[in-house]
Amino acid sequence: MANITGKGAGKRAAELFTAAGGKDGTPPVRSNLIKRLMHGGFSLTITFWIFFVSVPLAAHLVFSRGLYPVLDPHTWYGSTAFLAWPLLALLYGGVTCLGLWRSRAGFRGNPLWSSLAGLAALVGALGFAAYAFMMAASWFMIISA
């Protein structure tokens, strides 16, 4: 059989293994999305607009407009949802604010944006904490009524 590309099968296989993983053919290390976000692995723009603004807004709208009206806080599953939501918000807020803070290091644009992103990370951490407190307090007010 004629070799069309001019390379032997061994060289082609080595190129495929190198492209798929590393020099020794090991599979590439795929970073966990949460770890990558927490360590500032995304650009400042992506971290801010997607993870810091859009995801929390969409999650709040789903919870407040979709789940909140149908949950009964006097049942165990309703209480669990009402109490788990603020904990998830705190956890996600901590990861996102830390990721936003760390993603400033790789930003190559105007230094003002990097500084403002740091301020947004600090204020955002306070905002996530206030949001979690507000959601937990609403649960306590509902069950005491």
Side-chain angles (χ1 to χ4, degrees), residues 19-47:
K23 293 181 181 175
D24 58 353
T26 59
V29 178
R30 299 203 191 274
S31 178
N32 184 349
L33 179 74
I34 304 294
K35 285 183 182 178
R36 188 173 170 199
L37 173 62
M38 189 170 66
H39 293 295
F42 294 101
S43 71
L44 183 64
T45 306
I46 296 293
T47 303

Side-chain angles (χ1 to χ4, degrees), residues 40-118:
F42 294 101
S43 71
L44 183 64
T45 306
I46 296 293
T47 303
F48 181 78
W49 287 110
I50 300 296
F51 296 110
F52 190 75
V53 174
S54 299
V55 170
L57 178 64
H60 173 71
L61 289 175
V62 166
F63 183 78
S64 67
R65 302 295 186 251
L67 296 175
Y68 184 77
V70 297
L71 288 176
D72 182 12
H74 299 288
T75 61
W76 69 269
Y77 56 86
S79 292
T80 303
F82 269 97
L83 293 178
W85 184 250
L87 294 175
L88 287 173
L90 277 177
L91 182 65
Y92 182 79
V95 168
T96 303
C97 290
L98 185 61
L100 183 62
W101 183 267
R102 290 180 175 172
S103 68
R104 298 176 324 129
F107 186 67
R108 301 287 176 240
N110 188 348
L112 176 66
W113 293 117
S114 179
S115 299
L116 288 175

